[in-house]
Amino acid sequence: MAHMTKEHKARIAAELKKFMPKNWKYSLAVRHHAEIVMTIQSAPIDILAAAGKPDAKEMSLTRYFRASELFKSNPELAELFQKIRDALDLDNHDRSDLMTDYFDVGHYLTINIGKWDKPFQIAA
């Protein structure tokens, strides 16, 4: 059964601080005691345009996205998002069996780039 604690969130936050650019604004939250959610509010680069969605105001990613495919035009951004996903997946497991409709994960993860009520901002 998926479970996320404040202590685990703190370990993930410490891991993210090691490589996240200082001029990016982001937050971490625990949703329903089962999911870690990272919301990127602003960055000096247009992440949405780099992902091929220049008209979007927000975007949500799960653990199954491929950074190299999503950010084909920007290898540095792809590498950073791979590190972000790996950090959010810290101490996680996935023993799910889709054939029997059995799901067993340590925790779920979501990366939001902007939110429905607060669009992503390109920082100057």
Side-chain angles (χ1 to χ4, degrees):
M1 182 172 162
H3 188 69
M4 174 57 64
T5 64
K6 290 180 186 177
E7 293 80 17
H8 195 171
K9 175 186 159 190
R11 288 196 310 271
I12 290 171
E15 189 67 28
L16 285 169
K17 282 189 178 194
K18 293 178 183 177
F19 60 83
M20 283 300 291
K22 302 292 183 214
N23 51 357
W24 285 38
K25 284 182 60 181
Y26 67 93
S27 63
L28 288 177
V30 174
R31 185 183 298 156
H32 304 298
H33 303 286
E35 179 179 16
I36 185 82
V37 180
M38 178 183 199
T39 302
I40 301 172
Q41 294 100 356
S42 69
I45 184 170
D46 191 349
I47 299 170
L48 297 170
K53 301 181 182 288
D55 297 329
K57 302 288 185 220
E58 54 93 21
M59 182 170 66
S60 185
L61 306 170
T62 65
R63 73 184 299 222
Y64 301 106
F65 79 95
R66 291 183 184 218
S68 60
E69 290 295 316
L70 188 62
F71 302 109
K72 290 179 192 175
S73 63
N74 192 327
E76 295 88 18
L77 196 57
E79 183 179 336
L80 177 62
F81 268 82
Q82 183 63 44
K83 287 181 181 179
I84 290 171
R85 191 183 78 191
D86 291 346
L88 293 175
D89 227 5
L90 185 70
D91 298 331
N92 201 0
H93 69 269
D94 186 353
R95 296 186 286 258
S96 301
D97 182 7
L98 300 179
M99 296 300 288
T100 60
D101 201 24
Y102 174 75
F103 297 96
D104 177 17
V105 295
H107 63 271
Y108 298 100
L109 69 91
T110 300
I111 301 170
N112 293 321
I113 302 165
K115 290 171 64 175
W116 68 272
D117 60 342
K118 293 182 183 174
F120 174 74
Q121 301 289 317
I122 302 168

